[in-house]
Amino acid sequence: MAHRALHIPVIFLTSTYSFSALFLSVFLAVAALETVNGDNVFSASQTATAPVAVARDLRYLLYDVNPPEGFNLRRDVYIRMASLVKTLRKEGHDWVLVLPPWGRLYHWQSPNIHQIRIPWGAFFSLTSLQANVPVIEYEEFVAENGGPFIDQVLVLQNYAEGWTDGKWEEKVDERPCIEKLMYSKDKQGYYRGWFWGYEETRARNVTCISAQGHASIMAPVLQRNITAISVMLDRAETLLHDHYAGKDYWDTRRSMVFAKHLRIIGDDFRAKYLNSTDDRDHTIYSEDWTRMKAKPGSAKGGSYLGVHLRRKDFIWGHREDVPSLKGAVKKMRSLMKKHKLDKVFVATDADDEELKELKRLLPDMVRYEPSAEDLELFKDGGVAIIDQWICAHARFFIGTSVSTFSFRIHEEREILGFDPKTTYNRFCGDNEKECEQPTHWKIVY
Ligand SMILES: C[C@@H]1O[C@H](OP(=O)(O)OP(=O)(O)OC[C@H]2O[C@@H](n3cnc4c(=O)[nH]c(N)nc43)[C@H](O)[C@@H]2O)[C@@H](O)[C@H](O)[C@@H]1O
């Protein structure tokens, strides 16, 4: 599940390992171990079937995330993987990041729509992503690679023993798998697994790696210990950001431009129901993120309150800091009054029962409710983006504590040039004593 480590201050992640020590530990561990579930990583590239990369050949980094993790946490993991690929490329190696198709997400519960094997182009502008780091869709990888085979899967895990002596130390070692593997060997000796719903995909080898540290901790392992052409890091959320909210983080984040068809739907909705346009609200957007540098405070935003009200699993998962519906509506009303806003746009994952109650308490709220055709077309992920886009353009925004859905809205507003005071706000639990507000992360250009 999502862990707060995401937002651990960078200073906390100060590395205490040296690269030579890392190599030695990886080497010794690898030499000593015969993994329980897969071949030894060193031997992986030497099997008859696995092609061996020659120096400077193109290599592919694939990844996947723990199944229960949601859409916006996954967007965060993308930033970490992009950073790792940048590190590999800085060292002169031709790595390409393969975008893991979207699907089977726990929160995407709309019935009767096909929600697996969704390419990134359905949600994001690929040309924008590519202007940051070389990326390809999974199906392009299959075509380029000559088939649905991944040479090496590394299943990332923590260390069974936890932190030694209570001291944080960055390290990575090949270790026996702690949890039961989600891969099984078929008769031909290949590994089957989820692989984003591509049943024909196989892995040639699967190995567990204990990793504790930032994403680029994997660079030497990938570059020097493994010569396979395609390597997939499973449970990639185990790795932390190289430098949370630094320039590289923001470059990647800024490159995650929403797909144009979704932005258009959001813009049309703003114009039609919220009287909000970019010209009037000073939220001019440049398609080319490398040229987008709005002055902080320059965006005015539409004359409405934008709300992200996370419910469902958050109601019991965050009892302390998530308000009751009554409490949330009281806060919305007071914000509307304070900021002289006569409209409120609510993005929420509330279930039908809660929605009914919310409508009763706040009959004048505005929501984006897709038609069946639009839902089929945009999927739950596209609807989430449209909700986020509309919240991002509000004059004042309030979100939900520790929700990455709200965090991504904060970032979108930062990119658009809103005054941080109008962005970094969250609801407080009804009985929360110290209601700390979200941290302002300033863009580093
Ligand atoms: C408990 C944790 O919750 C974390 O959720 P959290 O950070 O809020 O945010 P997400 O990672 O986005 O996961 C929540 C998902 O719920 C849906 N959702 C939530 N709020 C809205 C909304 O206002 N509008 C629409 N259209 N959809 C919404 C959407 O599919 C979204 O991706 C997960 O990332 C973790 O993996 C874990 O499950």
Side-chain angles (χ1 to χ4, degrees):
M1 301 297 272
H3 39 75
R4 289 177 187 224
L6 290 181
H7 301 283
I8 291 173
V10 176
I11 203 161
F12 177 71
L13 301 178
T14 310
S15 160
T16 56
Y17 80 105
S18 73
F19 272 82
S20 48
L22 167 75
F23 282 127
L24 189 64
S25 69
V26 170
F27 181 81
L28 291 175
V30 165
L33 271 171
E34 205 43 64
T35 49
V36 179
N37 300 283
D39 297 332
N40 183 294
V41 183
F42 279 135
S43 64
S45 55
Q46 291 151 14
T47 55
T49 44
V52 176
V54 287
R56 300 201 59 80
D57 260 4
L58 194 60
R59 298 177 68 187
Y60 301 93
L61 182 72
L62 301 97
Y63 73 95
D64 204 0
V65 174
N66 193 19
E69 303 296 0
F71 187 39
N72 291 290
L73 190 278
R74 285 164 190 265
R75 287 174 63 188
D76 189 275
V77 177
Y78 169 78
I79 299 179
R80 306 177 216 179
M81 292 301 104
S83 184
L84 169 57
V85 170
K86 283 184 189 177
T87 300
L88 289 163
R89 292 180 65 82
K90 262 185 225 149
E91 292 168 4
H93 309 289
D94 279 344
W95 284 83
V96 171
L97 185 58
V98 181
L99 300 165
W102 297 98
R104 203 178 65 166
L105 262 58
Y106 161 76
H107 303 93
W108 293 357
Q109 294 171 354
S110 292
N112 309 325
I113 54 168
H114 180 78
Q115 303 214 58
I116 56 166
R117 299 197 290 266
I118 305 173
W120 276 57
F123 300 140
F124 300 96
S125 151
L126 281 188
T127 45
S128 304
L129 297 177
Q130 277 154 354
N132 174 56
V133 74
V135 294
I136 54 170
E137 297 276 18
Y138 179 69
E139 294 195 6
E140 274 177 270
F141 160 75
V142 173
E144 280 185 19
N145 189 45
F149 292 95
I150 298 169
D151 298 329
Q152 174 71 55
V153 173
L154 301 178
V155 181
L156 303 181
Q157 58 186 12
N158 295 319
Y159 278 80
E161 67 271 27
W163 296 11
T164 35
D165 307 329
K167 206 175 82 202
W168 173 264
E169 192 190 0
E170 296 219 326
K171 51 185 180 177
V172 48
D173 296 284
E174 185 171 351
R175 285 285 178 94
C177 303
I178 300 170
E179 285 177 20
K180 190 174 173 301
L181 268 192
M182 304 292 274
Y183 298 88
S184 58
K185 226 172 186 173
D186 67 13
K187 283 193 195 118
Q188 287 80 34
Y190 292 117
Y191 288 87
R192 288 162 175 263
W194 161 243
F195 296 125
W196 317 282
Y198 286 86
E199 285 164 22
E200 64 284 13
T201 297
R202 300 277 186 280
R204 291 193 163 95
N205 195 42
V206 178
T207 309
C208 290
I209 296 265
S210 286
Q212 182 171 286
H214 62 278
S216 288
I217 197 177
M218 291 305 295
V221 179
L222 292 174
Q223 201 45 50
R224 288 174 224 171
N225 294 357
I226 298 169
T227 51
I229 289 174
S230 50
V231 183
M232 170 175 160
L233 300 182
D234 197 357
R235 302 293 304 265
E237 77 287 351
T238 309
L239 299 167
L240 304 173
H241 283 285
D242 279 336
H243 186 177
Y244 186 76
K247 172 167 167 34
D248 180 50
Y249 175 98
W250 274 109
D251 281 354
T252 302
R253 176 60 186 86
R254 287 161 62 224
S255 76
M256 298 179 86
V257 170
F258 291 138
K260 193 164 187 174
H261 65 281
L262 300 173
R263 284 185 280 126
I264 288 174
I265 299 290
D267 288 341
D268 287 351
F269 186 92
R270 285 166 52 215
K272 201 163 167 192
Y273 300 103
L274 296 162
N275 202 20
S276 163
T277 63
D278 286 348
D279 278 339
R280 192 179 311 136
D281 303 338
H282 305 263
T283 49
I284 301 296
Y285 193 68
S286 168
E287 186 75 29
D288 176 358
W289 64 269
T290 61
R291 287 160 187 255
M292 181 83 194
K293 196 174 175 182
K295 235 173 102 202
S298 60
K300 194 167 151 234
S303 166
Y304 59 94
L305 172 69
V307 171
H308 174 231
L309 190 59
R310 182 78 158 80
R311 306 304 289 173
K312 290 214 174 118
D313 45 322
F314 259 45
I315 304 176
W316 45 264
H318 294 270
R319 272 170 228 268
E320 300 299 312
D321 44 2
V322 165
S324 64
L325 286 182
K326 230 172 152 183
V329 169
K330 191 170 161 218
K331 180 71 183 172
M332 291 184 226
R333 292 240 180 267
S334 90
L335 285 173
M336 287 167 78
K337 197 166 165 209
K338 182 170 173 199
H339 298 282
K340 301 189 177 57
L341 302 169
D342 56 359
K343 290 192 177 69
V344 52
F345 174 81
V346 180
T348 183
D349 61 335
D351 63 20
D352 289 346
E353 204 176 306
E354 276 215 321
L355 259 185
K356 224 166 110 193
E357 175 65 0
L358 190 59
K359 278 181 186 159
R360 191 184 67 76
L361 294 167
L362 194 66
D364 46 342
M365 74 173 167
V366 179
R367 289 187 61 240
Y368 169 67
E369 290 173 291
S371 63
E373 296 84 64
D374 282 357
L375 182 59
E376 172 82 46
L377 211 58
F378 307 141
K379 323 275 184 217
D380 282 323
V383 173
I385 287 174
I386 295 165
D387 266 348
Q388 288 182 316
W389 188 245
I390 301 168
C391 282
H393 287 77
R395 186 142 321 154
F396 193 93
F397 172 72
I398 182 162
T400 302
S401 172
V402 303
S403 166
T404 55
F405 191 107
S406 292
F407 291 158
R408 301 290 90 85
I409 296 172
H410 297 163
E411 291 163 347
E412 212 61 46
R413 292 175 64 84
E414 195 73 12
I415 291 167
L416 287 167
F418 278 93
D419 180 336
K421 285 202 282 296
T422 70
T423 292
Y424 297 89
N425 310 292
R426 69 141 171 120
F427 287 107
C428 304
D430 290 357
N431 301 311
E432 198 177 350
K433 295 217 169 63
E434 281 170 35
C435 179
E436 199 186 325
Q437 293 298 298
T439 312
H440 173 205
W441 297 102
K442 210 168 163 222
I443 302 185
V444 182
Y445 289 99

